[in-house]
Amino acid sequence: MTLSSFHSCFSLLFFIVYGLVFQVHELHSALLNVMGPPSPVTVAVGEDAVLPCRFSPAQSTEDMEVTWFREQLVPFVHRYKGGRDRNGNQMLEYVGRTELWKDGLAKGSVNLTIFSIQLSDRGNYTCFVVSGSDYDQAVVELKVTGFGSVPLVALERYQDGGIRVSCRSAGWYPRPQVLWRDPHGQHLPSLSESVTQDQSSLFAVESSIILTRGTKQNVSCWVRHVLDGQERGSEFYISDPFFHNAHPLIVALGIVSVAVVALLILAVYLFKIKGDRDAEIEKQAEELGEYHSPSYMGDFSTGTFSHLVKVVLDSDTAHRSLVLSDDCKSVRREEKQQDIPDNPKRFRPWRCVLGHEGFTSGRCYWEVEVVDGGGWTVGACREDVKRKDEIILKPEKGFWVVGQWEGRFQALTSPDRTFLSEIQTPKRIRVSLCYEEGRVSFFGVDENMPIFTFQETSFEGKTVYPWFWLGSGTWLKMCP
C-alpha cells in the first residue's frame, strides 16, 4: 500500500467515525425536546408574568434540572435541581420574585412566574432543561407595556387670541401618541408636545393646543397606546365668553374666577374627605378598644357587634406544600410537596389556604400571628375566586389582602398596590369583616393601630372566607 493510499484510507475512516459520533450526539440531544410559546409574552408594568415552557417526552423529576436565564447561565433568573429550588446564584433583581410551577413538571411543564413586572424585565429568557444526559432549550420573549393615567386637561392662559389648553398623562410604555379631537372626532393640530421619562423609564407626555372663539362644544384629548391601540381620554367644554371678543382683563377675570371656584370646591371636598377619614380612624380606634375590653359583649346572632371567630384552616383547600398542624390552627410552607389528592377546592400552584368557616352576614374578626418567614399575605376572599393556575390578588378578583410581599409591607389594592412604608410590619394582625357595609379592615394588634381598610367592597352576596398565602419558609399561627 502506497503512502497516498494510506492517507486516503485514514481520512475516510476519520470522517466515518466523526460522522457516527456527531449523529449519535445529535440523536442523544434530540431525545429531549423543549418548546416555548410561538409568540412573545406581553405583560403590563406591575402585573405578574407567566413564561410558558414545555418539554417532551415526560421525564423523571428526580434528576431533572431546570434553569431559566437571560444573557448568561450564571447568575440565573431561577434554578430547580434535585427536587427543589436552588437560587444561591440568582440575579439580585429577581430575588423573591420568581416561582417555578413544580406541579406541572410531571406533565412536561416548567412555566416560570415573575411577580410585579418592571420595564427592566423585558427581553429574552432561555428555558434550559437537563434530564440525565439529555438536554434542550427554548427562548421566550417578554414584552412589557405601560398603560398610563387618564389625561389631565388644564386651562393654562390667554394666548394669541385664544386660550392655551394643556393635556398631561404619565405611566406609559412605549412612548404613546397624543391626539386632540373636535366634537366630530376629527383631529386637531397641537401647538407643542413634550415627552419625558421617569426613573422607571415610563413615559410622560404633555401636549398643548390653542382654542379660539367659536368653540362651543366638547373638545377631547386622547392618549393612545401604540402597540394595542387602546386609548384613555378626557373631554372638556369651553364657551364663547372666555375668548377674545371680551376684553383680555375680563377673560383673565373669568379664568381666575373659574380657578377660584374650582379651588373652593376642591377645598370643601378635601375637608369632607378629612372629616370622613377622621371619623373612620375614630371608629376603628373604638373597635380596637371594644376588642381589647374584657367586658366586651354584643348580640352576635344579629351581627350588631364584631365578635372574635377562631379560625380553623380547611385542609381541602391547602396547597400541597402547605403543612397544617393536627388541630388545623397553624400552617407552615415546605419546599417538598405532600402526596395528597387534588380536588376543585385546592389552590394550585399558589401556596394558599382558606379558613374552614365562611361568612355571609354580620361583623366579625380573626387574628393571625407571623411566627417565622419572609413573604406572606392575609385577608379575606370570596368563595368564587380562581384556585387553579394564575390568580390575581386584587379586590375586583375577590381578594382583600395585605402582607409582606416582595420585601415590602403593602395592601394589594387596584389598579396599583398601596405601599405602607410608614407602618412597621406587624407580627400579629387582626382582620375585621363587616359584611353588610362591605368593609375589610386590618389592625396591628401589638402596635394597637389601624393598618388599612378596603371600603365599599363587592361581596356579591357570596360567602367570604379567611385567606392566607405563605412565601418560602413561612409559618403562620391562628390566634388564639
Side-chain angles (χ1 to χ4, degrees):
M1 179 182 293
T2 63
L3 183 60
S4 60
S5 299
F6 175 78
H7 281 296
S8 298
C9 292
F10 180 80
S11 299
L12 177 60
L13 179 61
F14 173 79
F15 282 112
I16 290 175
V17 172
Y18 177 81
L20 288 174
V21 172
F22 179 77
Q23 291 178 5
V24 169
H25 178 267
E26 289 296 313
L27 179 61
H28 192 58
S29 298
L31 290 177
L32 186 68
N33 183 26
V34 178
M35 299 159 290
S39 56
V41 176
T42 303
V43 179
V45 170
E47 298 292 335
D48 299 335
V50 177
L51 305 184
C53 183
R54 298 190 60 83
F55 64 88
S56 62
Q59 307 282 324
S60 170
T61 61
E62 293 299 325
D63 60 347
M64 178 174 293
E65 179 178 348
V66 180
T67 304
W68 282 88
F69 64 92
R70 300 199 67 175
E71 297 179 356
Q72 54 190 11
L73 193 59
V74 178
F76 46 77
V77 176
H78 193 99
R79 173 170 289 172
Y80 170 87
K81 183 179 180 181
R84 63 188 182 92
D85 294 323
R86 297 178 182 271
N87 292 330
N89 291 317
Q90 188 177 29
M91 298 173 68
L92 292 178
E93 56 266 39
Y94 293 99
V95 173
R97 295 180 55 220
T98 62
E99 185 176 49
L100 188 73
W101 291 22
K102 301 180 185 65
D103 290 350
L105 286 173
K107 300 177 182 178
S109 174
V110 287
N111 296 351
L112 181 72
T113 298
I114 303 177
F115 300 103
S116 188
I117 288 298
Q118 308 164 9
L119 277 179
S120 58
D121 295 327
R122 65 188 186 277
N124 290 335
Y125 292 76
T126 299
C127 172
F128 185 70
V129 181
V130 179
S131 180
S133 57
D134 302 326
Y135 64 90
D136 197 14
Q137 65 184 32
V139 176
V140 181
E141 182 182 359
L142 175 62
K143 291 186 176 181
V144 180
T145 65
F147 194 54
S149 61
V150 174
L152 173 65
V153 176
L155 306 183
E156 291 192 333
R157 61 180 179 275
Y158 174 81
Q159 180 176 336
D160 299 333
I163 296 177
R164 183 186 177 110
V165 182
S166 67
C167 174
R168 303 181 183 92
S169 182
W172 295 86
Y173 192 87
R175 173 177 174 171
Q177 181 181 12
V178 183
L179 304 172
W180 292 92
R181 292 174 181 159
D182 65 13
H184 306 290
Q186 299 298 316
H187 290 177
L188 300 173
S190 62
L191 175 67
S192 63
E193 182 174 321
S194 64
V195 180
T196 57
Q197 284 183 279
D198 60 18
Q199 294 180 349
S200 300
S201 297
L202 294 173
F203 286 95
V205 292
E206 179 175 352
S207 179
S208 298
I209 191 173
I210 293 181
L211 300 178
T212 56
R213 186 175 184 272
T215 306
K216 295 184 177 181
Q217 302 184 44
N218 290 342
V219 178
S220 59
C221 173
W222 294 85
V223 184
R224 174 186 294 174
H225 198 286
V226 297
L227 293 183
D228 55 21
Q230 294 189 63
E231 295 181 336
R232 289 191 185 274
S234 295
E235 296 184 353
F236 60 97
Y237 179 87
I238 300 180
S239 58
D240 276 354
F242 286 94
F243 293 100
H244 195 50
N245 58 326
H247 190 276
L249 179 60
I250 298 178
V251 175
L253 289 175
I255 296 176
V256 170
S257 299
V258 171
V260 170
V261 171
L263 287 173
L264 288 175
I265 294 175
L266 179 61
V268 172
Y269 177 70
L270 292 177
F271 183 78
K272 183 179 183 301
I273 290 179
K274 182 179 184 302
D276 292 344
R277 178 58 180 166
D278 291 344
E280 178 63 23
I281 292 176
E282 182 178 353
K283 185 176 182 180
Q284 292 175 352
E286 291 176 355
E287 290 179 343
L288 280 170
E290 289 177 337
Y291 296 156
H292 285 288
S293 173
S295 61
Y296 171 72
M297 299 180 62
D299 185 358
F300 299 157
S301 62
T302 62
T304 304
F305 302 101
S306 292
H307 65 284
L308 173 65
V309 293
K310 298 181 179 180
V311 174
V312 176
L313 300 174
D314 187 353
S315 60
D316 289 338
T317 66
H319 185 275
R320 291 176 176 174
S321 64
L322 298 185
V323 179
L324 275 59
S325 60
D326 292 339
D327 60 359
C328 293
K329 296 287 289 181
S330 66
V331 55
R332 71 179 187 274
R333 172 172 167 174
E334 295 187 352
E335 293 305 321
K336 184 178 181 180
Q337 298 188 20
Q338 304 171 87
D339 185 15
I340 54 177
D342 197 5
N343 64 73
K345 295 172 60 178
R346 194 177 305 284
F347 283 90
R348 176 176 56 82
W350 284 66
R351 274 61 175 178
C352 307
V353 62
L354 300 182
H356 190 275
E357 179 185 1
F359 311 97
T360 57
S361 63
R363 297 174 60 186
C364 63
Y365 70 94
W366 58 91
E367 295 181 357
V368 57
E369 180 181 353
V370 182
V371 180
D372 192 14
W376 52 268
T377 56
V378 300
C381 75
R382 286 200 312 260
E383 61 180 330
D384 60 342
V385 296
K386 190 175 181 181
R387 304 195 185 193
K388 306 297 182 184
D389 300 325
E390 192 67 16
I391 59 178
I392 301 175
L393 301 180
K394 290 185 177 181
E396 61 265 28
K397 299 296 183 180
F399 293 93
W400 301 274
V401 299
V402 303
Q404 186 76 4
W405 185 277
E406 300 170 0
R408 304 179 69 178
F409 187 48
Q410 56 191 280
L412 276 67
T413 51
S414 180
D416 299 316
R417 300 172 185 174
T418 301
F419 295 105
L420 306 173
S421 55
E422 72 282 0
I423 299 177
Q424 183 178 358
T425 304
K427 288 296 183 181
R428 186 164 177 169
I429 305 95
R430 176 178 299 132
V431 184
S432 176
L433 169 68
C434 181
Y435 196 97
E436 282 74 16
E437 295 182 14
R439 185 173 71 245
V440 180
S441 301
F442 298 85
F443 305 84
V445 178
D446 296 332
E447 298 79 8
N448 196 26
M449 65 175 295
I451 295 175
F452 189 82
T453 297
F454 290 89
Q455 298 278 15
E456 300 179 357
T457 57
S458 178
F459 299 141
E460 300 180 358
K462 301 184 184 300
T463 305
V464 176
Y465 288 91
W467 180 92
F468 311 89
W469 171 85
L470 286 78
S472 180
T474 299
W475 179 17
L476 301 180
K477 182 173 70 174
M478 305 304 110
C479 302

